[in-house]
Amino acid sequence: MCPSPARRRSHRSEPKPTTAMAATHPTTPAPHVLVVPFPAQGHMIPLLDLAGLLASRGLRLTVVATPATAPLLAPLLAAERPDGAVRALVLPFPSHPALPAGVEMAKHAPPTLFPALIDAFAGLRGPLRSWVRARSDGPDRVVAILSDFFCGWTQPLAADLGIPRIAFSPSGVYGAAVLQSLFRRMPRREDESEDESPISFPDLPGAPAYPWRQMTLMYRTYKDGDEVCEAVRRNLLWNLESTSFVSNTFRRLEDRYLAAPLADMGFRKVRAVGPLAPAADAAVNRGGATAVSAADLSAWLDKFADGSVVYISFGSMAVLQPPHAAALASALERTEVAFVWAAGPTAPLPEGFEERAAAGGRGVVIRGWAPQVAALRHRAVWWFVTHCGWNSVLEAIAAGVAMLTWPMTAEQFVNARLLVDELGAAVPMSWGGPKAAPGAEDVARVLDAAFGRNGDSQWGNVAAQAKELAEEAAAAVREGGDSWRELEELVRELRDLASEPKERGPLTGQNSGASEP
């Protein structure tokens, strides 16, 4: 739900930032872009990956962080780049009456506080405006803002500064359009007591519909007039005024949603530059230090035959309910399928399950951040039980691993439908979400079929489709590929901005009259 603050914020101080240089500027300054990630690992990781690609093409970047998120910038800052520079602009996280002290990232907050996190982060608007203006007449002039789509407040900021803002979507185009559509049209269910009541999306190709219970919690708990809820909606609607969108996807994956401008994306151009999934050796500590090293996990997987292991993860934010964890654990023991389960530090696994799996030598449970890219690209891993968070989806696709979908919240049901119904690269494990756990027998039946124990050749077709998508993904980011060309065009546009005279006011068509959040 959207927690209302105890009192209205009347003033925000503008803290003094600290700046860490990662490279030396060239004699002739390259275009300088301000990058604003949202403080959630699933949002930061792909935007930092994109920042690395832009820096490797000679752009200068200043990446905004807070003390809690600054460590995630370490791999980006440490990379050697002869052409370009990356700096970290570390600002104190703005206080918010609905957030407990010390909560600065999504992983530190329950899902009910996610809207307040969006609202609180908008408190950086004032400090960033001062920081950019202080550099407006020098070689460090900022020519554009590239920011996460949960940072819609950077749109009026950019308008105030007279520079363009490019909205980055860590989700696919389909998932982002569904979210934007919800807050743009505000559809309601016909029967307020019926969770299966359909919500349709008439402006999207095929006019898809989903049951109410599969809509993001942030929308289902929206309350008219609630300050935090209204701030979230305002942030998302500002995205529709951005210059363009950049999405972590590729054309073969979502061509249906990239073929023409979408009303739910403000009819803006969407650049598909993904998948932003690095090679396994470049993904070390991507998203933070891992609980087990990629080398150690790979050594354990080396004991298994090709395509004999299932990898399991429900992402960095979802915590399985005990019935879900029990059903999956029981199914793994019944089928004796070899597995790696990135369970996180708090997953409520059945008593003794981890010890039995370790003793039998056929399973490992990772309590913490896992080297997922390395695991998915190991020859032994054949299937991926996933919540269908977009980063996980793209990492699996890049690795050619077919998915067993088990969506829980956010846009995950949309992603699962794309994978299962449109792409044929996944098979559903469960559509029940967090409230309806499948039976252990049902989960075991899916696992048995996935590893060919029931003679159903259709499962092999799904795995083959996943391999084909991996080839398409590799082709998209290869020199001359669709995503490679989109990235090159983005860089060219940013370079052109650096050669234009500095704007003295908001860009034409942008609204600079929005109130300070």
Side-chain angles (χ1 to χ4, degrees):
M1 61 182 295
C2 300
S4 296
R7 57 183 174 80
R8 183 75 182 179
R9 299 183 305 282
S10 59
H11 179 264
R12 282 193 176 98
S13 61
E14 298 190 0
K16 294 181 181 180
T18 61
T19 304
M21 282 298 297
T24 304
H25 289 177
T27 303
T28 303
H32 182 199
V33 178
L34 182 67
V35 180
V36 187
F38 182 73
Q41 283 173 302
H43 288 246
M44 289 193 69
I45 289 172
L47 185 48
L48 296 180
D49 288 340
L50 176 59
L53 293 175
L54 295 175
S56 70
R57 285 159 170 77
L59 300 186
R60 288 185 298 146
L61 307 169
T62 296
V63 184
V64 176
T66 68
T69 62
L72 296 180
L73 273 60
L76 176 66
L77 296 172
E80 295 183 7
R81 296 183 182 89
D83 300 315
V86 179
R87 294 179 289 185
L89 175 63
V90 182
L91 294 165
F93 190 88
S95 63
H96 190 286
L99 288 179
V103 173
E104 298 184 13
M105 292 182 68
K107 72 175 184 177
H108 298 146
T112 53
L113 289 182
F114 198 83
L117 194 68
I118 294 174
D119 189 28
F121 200 56
L124 295 185
R125 179 175 163 187
L128 287 178
R129 182 175 54 226
S130 299
W131 188 87
V132 173
R133 281 181 173 167
R135 289 152 181 78
S136 60
D137 292 317
D140 275 346
R141 174 173 72 94
V142 173
V143 301
I145 295 175
L146 171 63
S147 58
D148 187 273
F149 70 2
F150 278 150
C151 301
W153 51 270
T154 56
Q155 176 57 38
L157 168 64
D160 287 345
L161 296 168
I163 58 177
R165 180 252 178 161
I166 300 166
F168 174 75
S169 170
S171 305
V173 181
Y174 186 15
V178 164
L179 180 63
Q180 291 285 159
S181 180
L182 287 172
F183 284 92
R184 180 177 73 91
R185 299 183 303 111
M186 301 299 291
R188 308 308 296 178
R189 50 182 168 171
E190 292 182 5
D191 183 349
E192 289 297 319
S193 64
E194 179 52 69
D195 279 351
E196 297 298 325
S197 183
I199 301 297
S200 62
F201 297 86
D203 294 327
L204 288 176
Y210 291 83
W212 173 258
R213 66 177 177 81
Q214 292 183 357
M215 297 296 93
T216 175
L217 180 67
M218 193 163 58
Y219 183 72
R220 287 186 285 120
T221 56
Y222 180 91
K223 294 181 180 178
D224 288 329
D226 180 277
E227 182 184 340
V228 173
C229 292
E230 295 294 347
V232 169
R233 185 179 186 224
R234 188 165 58 246
N235 263 279
L236 289 168
L237 293 181
W238 270 327
N239 288 332
L240 305 183
E241 301 175 23
S242 62
T243 302
S244 61
F245 285 85
V246 174
S247 181
N248 185 18
T249 190
F250 60 100
R251 185 160 292 278
R252 168 66 176 83
L253 194 64
E254 294 194 279
D255 188 54
R256 189 182 191 189
Y257 308 98
L258 289 163
L262 300 175
D264 291 319
M265 303 293 279
F267 294 107
R268 296 301 197 259
K269 179 175 180 56
V270 179
R271 292 196 181 281
V273 299
L276 297 169
D281 58 353
V284 177
N285 293 336
R286 175 176 175 257
T290 57
V292 60
S293 72
D296 287 345
L297 182 58
S298 294
W300 186 85
L301 286 168
D302 285 344
K303 300 183 298 182
F304 296 91
D306 292 1
S308 62
V309 177
V310 61
Y311 179 79
I312 304 162
S313 174
F314 290 87
S316 59
M317 292 179 61
V319 176
L320 283 185
Q321 298 300 309
H324 298 70
L328 181 52
S330 177
L332 289 169
E333 292 193 304
R334 292 185 190 194
T335 59
E336 297 186 345
V337 168
F339 68 90
V340 174
W341 189 344
T346 60
L349 302 187
E351 185 176 354
F353 170 76
E354 295 177 59
E355 293 77 11
R356 289 193 299 273
R362 61 171 190 81
V364 61
V365 175
I366 300 175
R367 289 291 192 174
W369 194 250
Q372 182 163 294
V373 171
L376 291 173
R377 298 194 183 193
H378 194 282
R379 57 166 182 77
V381 173
W382 189 243
W383 289 92
F384 178 15
V385 176
T386 174
H387 65 312
C388 298
W390 193 247
N391 286 333
S392 291
V393 166
L394 285 187
E395 288 167 3
I397 286 173
V401 174
M403 286 162 272
L404 301 173
T405 62
W406 197 337
M408 291 291 176
T409 186
E411 86 289 2
Q412 294 161 15
F413 288 96
V414 177
N415 298 341
R417 284 265 293 269
L418 175 71
L419 292 167
V420 173
D421 297 341
E422 298 187 33
L423 297 172
V427 175
M429 176 74 83
S430 172
W431 292 110
K435 290 187 176 180
E441 300 85 357
D442 296 327
V443 177
R445 192 178 303 113
V446 172
L447 288 174
D448 275 335
F451 286 92
R453 298 176 181 177
N454 66 355
D456 189 346
S457 63
Q458 181 181 358
W459 294 73
N461 295 336
V462 173
Q465 180 62 15
K467 298 296 184 186
E468 182 179 326
L469 281 175
E471 295 175 1
E472 298 276 2
V477 297
R478 193 176 299 130
E479 184 171 354
D482 290 337
S483 296
W484 183 90
R485 290 198 303 270
E486 292 276 30
L487 183 61
E488 292 296 311
E489 289 179 12
L490 175 62
V491 171
R492 186 161 50 250
E493 288 181 7
L494 292 170
R495 287 191 177 280
D496 290 344
L497 287 171
S499 64
E500 295 176 359
K502 185 176 76 70
E503 292 283 345
R504 295 295 177 183
L507 296 180
T508 303
Q510 291 180 327
N511 176 17
S512 63
S515 61
E516 179 75 19

